[in-house]
Structure formats: structure tokens, C-alpha cells
Amino acid sequence: MLQKTPTLKAFPRDKTGSRYCQRIRAKGQLPAVVYGHKQNPEAIVLDFKEAVSHINKGEKVFRLGFEGKGEGQVVLLKDLQFDYLGTNIVHADFARVDLNERVRTRVSVHLIGEAKGLKTAGAILMHPTNEVVIECVVTEIPEFIELNIADLDVDQQITVAQAKLPGANMKM
């Protein structure tokens, strides 16, 4: 997984505040903050198109490449802020992580198969959540968790405890 971790070009941001962030967004950039590991929070700027394309693909772990600073630090996407319509990303929060550290993150759930109970007239499939919170090592974060619903009949349910995690050291 670490070999395919995308690198985002990051630039330090001198000024903070909503007026300055609006100017950054007008230039086609995304304001962000990196924090954690007993270091001071750092305000940064990312390329909007590059960052949002990786985020929309479901990427959660990134390398931040600062000009002239070598390899870059590994970060985990922690939070996104959206505009007033809830459609465009306007700010991102990243947490510095150690590759051997256990973290808690959200992972999407993909339903596999067609429930046999859906063949009954009037039956509907309700899935109130489409993601779960897991705890695992940063290098083992899965893209998604598959949940087979083929044997699901009318008035049956599947709980999080029944989901099979892809790694042995993962917890929900």
C-alpha cells in the first residue's frame, strides 16, 4: 500500500483566516492544516484539483512533499470541510502518522451479491450506514470492506460484528 501512496505538493501558508483562504481558493488551491505527533500545527496550501481527485478516489493516506525538504511526511486525512451547499471541499485537515502506529479511520462498506429476501414482493433492503470505523496500522488501511448479502432473507440483518475484516490485526 505504501508504494502507491500519492504524494501531494504542499506549500507553507503564512497567513490564516477566512479572507486569506478565499483568496487561496480563488487561485485554484486548497487550504489545509497538518497537526499531530507533538509538533505545532502547520497551515499549508495544496493544489485543489490534485488533492480533490485523490480524495474522491477514496485515498486516505498521503505523503506531503515540501519543496527542498526531501522525502515528505506521511499524513492521514482526518476531516474535510465543505461549502454552504455541501458540494465543494473548502478545507482539509491531516494528521501526521507513524507507519507503525495504530489509527482509527472510516472505511466504506461495499455490499456484494443480491439478497434472496429481495425476491419477496414488497421487500426492500435498508442499509443505514455505508461506512464503519476501524482501528489498524496505517499501512494496512483497506480501501473498502466487502459484505456479502446473498444469504440475507426477509427480516434478517447483518451487524458490524459479522463483517469480516481483511487483516488479522484490525478491530472495529
Side-chain angles (χ1 to χ4, degrees):
M1 178 202 151
L2 198 58
Q3 290 76 19
K4 63 179 183 171
T5 302
T7 300
L8 299 176
K9 293 178 189 169
F11 302 96
R13 183 165 44 122
D14 296 331
K15 298 179 180 179
T16 58
S18 59
R19 286 187 324 165
Y20 297 109
C21 288
Q22 286 175 344
R23 293 175 188 162
I24 289 169
R25 286 186 214 100
K27 294 178 186 174
Q29 297 173 324
L30 178 67
V33 173
V34 180
Y35 58 88
H37 277 271
K38 299 179 183 173
Q39 295 180 23
N40 290 333
E42 189 174 355
I44 63 170
V45 176
L46 305 170
D47 179 61
F48 182 83
K49 286 183 181 179
E50 180 185 24
V52 170
S53 71
H54 288 298
I55 291 169
N56 287 338
K57 290 178 189 173
E59 300 283 349
K60 291 182 179 11
V61 180
F62 300 94
R63 282 192 190 277
L64 292 182
F66 290 95
E67 248 182 62
K69 289 193 178 180
E71 181 66 21
Q73 53 189 316
V74 179
V75 295
L76 177 68
L77 179 65
K78 278 298 202 183
D79 191 29
L80 293 173
Q81 294 173 12
F82 294 88
D83 63 0
Y84 64 95
L85 294 175
T87 54
N88 295 321
I89 297 172
V90 295
H91 191 274
D93 288 345
F94 296 96
R96 293 178 187 98
V97 291
D98 180 13
L99 297 179
N100 300 318
E101 174 182 18
R102 292 182 70 83
V103 295
R104 292 177 61 87
T105 187
R106 294 181 177 273
V107 177
S108 65
V109 176
H110 290 188
L111 302 179
I112 305 298
E114 186 177 328
K116 65 182 179 183
L118 288 176
K119 295 179 179 150
T120 305
I124 58 171
L125 176 66
M126 294 176 52
H127 49 97
T129 184
N130 59 357
E131 59 185 19
V132 293
V133 177
I134 65 166
E135 181 179 316
C136 65
V137 177
V138 173
T139 56
E140 295 179 355
I141 296 175
E143 291 183 38
F144 54 86
I145 294 175
E146 291 183 345
L147 194 56
N148 189 351
I149 60 168
D151 295 329
L152 196 62
D153 209 349
V154 175
D155 292 331
Q156 287 185 330
Q157 62 188 359
I158 297 175
T159 62
V160 172
Q162 296 169 310
K164 292 182 181 163
L165 295 174
N169 296 326
M170 294 182 187
K171 292 192 298 187
M172 282 199 217

